[in-house]
Structure formats: C-alpha cells, structure tokens
C-alpha cells in the first residue's frame, strides 16, 4: 500500500524538463572579409518547449549578423540514455575586415512554463579573417562561391533601318548572378567612355532563392545607355571582373566582350521622331494563341449540330419573348348615341 501511495505521489508531482543550448560557428579554414559563414544556435530539451525558443541577443565583434532568413531544423540526439529533441536556428554572419571574427562568451537565461529560470554560459567563438594574396582594390573585393556574368544589347533607332546615326541610343544590359553574396557587395560594372554621352538607369537588385525561400545569393542588373554625339566608329570596351572563388580558394576573372558600331551622320528629317527599339517576336505567345484558335475551330466542327441546335433554340426563345400578345378590348365597341 505504501509503494502504491508513493508511486501516486510521484505521478502527481509536476514534470521538470531539462533544457540546454549550444552555439557553433561553421566557417572554412580560410575566411576572407565579406564571406558569409553560418552561426547555429540549437535549443535542447528532454520534454517540450514552452514557450517556443527565440534567437538570443549576442554581440559580434568585427562582423555583423545578416538578415538572410534560413529555415529552422528539428534535430535529435541521445546522451547517457536520455533522448533529447532540439530546434536548430541558423543565421549568416559576415566579417567586413581582416582580424578576428569573435563572439564573446555570454550568459543565457532559459525560461520554461512552470519551471525556474536556468542560466547557461555559452563559450566564446572566434575565427581569423585574412585577405587573400593579390588583393588590389579592397573596395571592389567580391568573394563568392559561384558567379555568372551575362549581357544584352538593345538598339534604339529613330527610323526603321539597320543603321545607327547620331541621336540613336545603344543600351547595354549586364546581369551578374552570384552565390553567397549580398547585393551591397557587388561593385559597379558599367562606366561611361570618352566620346559619347551616357545615361545610367537605376540598378535592379534581386535576391536568389532556393528551396523553401532560402536566400542563396544576389542578382544585380545594370543598364547603361550610350548616346553617340559624333559620326564615326564607337568602340565599347569589354567588362572584366576579378573575383575570389571561396570554394577553390583561387582568383577567377569573369569577362564580357565589347562591341563596335559605325555611327552615321545625323538624319536630315525635319520633324522629331521617337526612338523605337524593335521588340522581339513572342513566338511562344503566338503558338499558344494559334493552338487555342485551332482547338476552338475543331470543337466547332465536331459539335456543329449541337451548336446549330442551341442557336435555333435561343433564337426561338427570343422571338417568343418579344412576340406581341393581343389583349381584349377594354373599350366597348357599341355605344348608345346621345
């Protein structure tokens, strides 16, 4: 009887959940300024979390915490016969200069419903940050795990011909796609050249996503319009970008070829004309429209009897609706003459 009462008393006692937290910095052996690394914080418990864990406040020296969203992960482990379940949260950290990326030791107070606060001490984390050999322009230094450079040319003419004259416009569109970078790290790619006026359009920065919306890099699109002011040859230079490959730990160079155009004298047209660029033919839209029209014609041929019957029925109902209905005479025909 005493054993049963003791067991019942133990079951009535409130459950005491144990909690802990770990912190780790996942960085390569050689870390360069501007290269993002992963900072992971894992909350562990042997029961459940109430309330759900939140990212703790922490100090980062010689670096900053990026706002790149990363999905949380559910993890498990077993230690000394006890099963632990955890929530792993990750954020990107970036060092902006050489030296040491350091996260000082901090005390974290973990709270759970119905339990007293528990104070944990997280040890300090540090990682050396060095510039790679051969850095010429630190302000244009671009570390990336992969990089792709593309360009397009658009010609705006005042007349429907194949020649360029003074007053026409040559637009150059350069697109850079890079992984493990932010849009603020990508340097300017297009510059003005002597002998021609230019018009720079605002660049368009777009994040690159993967999977469940995880941001993996950035895309930058620059547009520069060249405005020839004199007749003759116009040579547009190539675009060269030297970048640091963080996977292979070597320098790489991305290059786009330039172009040469023959600019004629100004046109002698008396009235001003709007510059027009010949738009590309949207073959896919034309094919889809043609397929839809063909399908409608085929359905009309196959179901022509049903269509004709439906049209005759509709016309008959319309005629019936608008047919005049004779009403009886309201005024008597024969009246007594006075």
């Amino acid at each position: 009887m005493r054993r049963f009462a003791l067991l019942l008393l133990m079951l009535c006692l409130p459950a005491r959940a144990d909690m802990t937290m770990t912190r780790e910095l996942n960085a390569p052996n050689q870390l360069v300024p501007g290269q993002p690394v992963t900072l992971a914080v894992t909350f562990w418990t042997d029961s459940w979390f109430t309330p759900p864990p939140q990212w703790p406040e922490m100090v980062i020296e010689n670096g900053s915490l990026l706002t790149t969203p990363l999905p949380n992960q559910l993890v498990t482990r077993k230690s000394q016969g006890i099963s632990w379940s955890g929530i792993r949260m990750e954020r990107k950290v970036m060092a902006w200069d050489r030296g040491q990326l350091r996260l000082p030791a901090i005390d974290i107070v973990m709270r759970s419903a119905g339990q007293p606060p528990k104070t944990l001490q997280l040890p300090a984390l540090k990682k050396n940050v060095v510039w790679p050999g051969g850095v010429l322009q630190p302000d244009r230094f671009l570390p990336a795990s992969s990089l792709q450079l593309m360009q397009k040319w658009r010609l705006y003419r005042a007349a429907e011909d194949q020649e360029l004259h003074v007053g026409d416009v040559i637009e150059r569109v350069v697109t850079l796609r890079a992984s493990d970078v932010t849009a603020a790290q990508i340097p300017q790619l297009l510059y003005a050249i002597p002998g021609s006026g230019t018009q720079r359009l605002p660049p368009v920065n777009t994040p690159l996503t993967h999977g469940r919306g995880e941001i993996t890099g950035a895309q930058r699109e620059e547009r520069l319009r060249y405005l020839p002011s004199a007749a003759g040859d116009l040579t547009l230079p190539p675009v060269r970008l030297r970048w640091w490959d963080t996977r292979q730990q070597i320098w790489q160079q991305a290059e786009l070829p330039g172009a040469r155009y023959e600019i004629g004298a100004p046109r002698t047209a008396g009235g001003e004309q709007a510059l027009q660029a010949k738009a590309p033919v949207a073959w896919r839209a034309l094919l889809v429209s043609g397929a839809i029209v063909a399908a409608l014609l085929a359905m009309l041929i196959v179901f022509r009897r049903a269509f004709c019957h439906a049209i005759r029925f509709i016309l008959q109902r319309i005629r019936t609706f608008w047919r005049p209905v004779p009403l009886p005479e309201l005024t008597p025909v024969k009246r007594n003459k006075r």
Side-chain angles (χ1 to χ4, degrees), residues 136-186:
L136 302 178
Q137 293 177 291
D139 58 332
R140 291 181 58 87
F141 178 70
L142 179 61
S145 58
S146 65
L147 187 141
Q148 185 181 11
L149 206 57
M150 302 163 289
Q151 75 174 348
K152 294 180 180 179
W153 298 93
R154 297 173 182 170
L155 305 180
Y156 295 86
R157 302 181 177 90
E160 291 293 337
D161 54 20
Q162 298 299 322
E163 297 181 355
L164 286 173
H165 296 264
V166 175
D168 295 340
V169 176
I170 303 172
E171 184 180 77
R172 189 175 193 177
V173 183
V174 174
T175 304
L176 185 146
R177 298 169 60 93
S179 301
D180 294 329
V181 300
T182 61
Q185 294 177 263
I186 302 176

Side-chain angles (χ1 to χ4, degrees), residues 204-337:
V204 179
N205 297 321
T206 308
L208 301 179
T209 59
H210 176 73
R212 295 180 298 174
E214 178 183 356
I215 297 179
T216 59
Q219 172 180 298
R220 179 184 177 90
E221 181 183 274
E222 291 188 12
R223 292 191 297 169
L224 184 65
R225 293 178 175 176
Y226 299 94
L227 314 174
S229 57
D233 293 338
L234 179 63
T235 302
L236 304 181
V239 175
R240 297 185 180 93
L241 177 63
R242 187 168 176 253
W243 61 282
W244 176 256
D245 192 338
T246 57
R247 290 184 178 177
Q248 305 182 30
Q249 300 294 324
I250 59 174
W251 286 102
Q252 302 276 11
Q253 180 165 302
E255 184 173 352
L256 294 174
R260 178 182 173 275
Y261 293 95
E262 181 70 24
I263 307 299
R267 291 183 174 88
T268 58
E272 296 182 356
Q273 301 182 19
L275 296 179
Q276 298 178 356
K278 193 172 183 180
V281 181
W283 294 107
R284 181 177 298 180
L286 292 178
L287 291 176
V288 171
S289 303
I292 294 175
V293 172
L296 292 176
L297 291 177
M299 292 178 59
L300 184 62
I301 294 175
V302 174
F303 300 101
R304 58 184 182 276
R305 294 184 178 179
F307 287 152
C308 294
H309 180 72
I311 292 174
R312 286 196 299 269
F313 177 76
I314 293 173
L315 294 177
Q316 182 179 2
R317 297 296 297 177
I318 293 175
R319 287 195 296 268
T320 304
F321 180 80
W322 291 105
R323 181 180 300 170
V325 178
L327 298 176
E329 294 289 344
L330 300 180
T331 305
V333 177
K334 299 180 179 179
R335 296 181 178 181
N336 296 329
K337 297 182 178 179

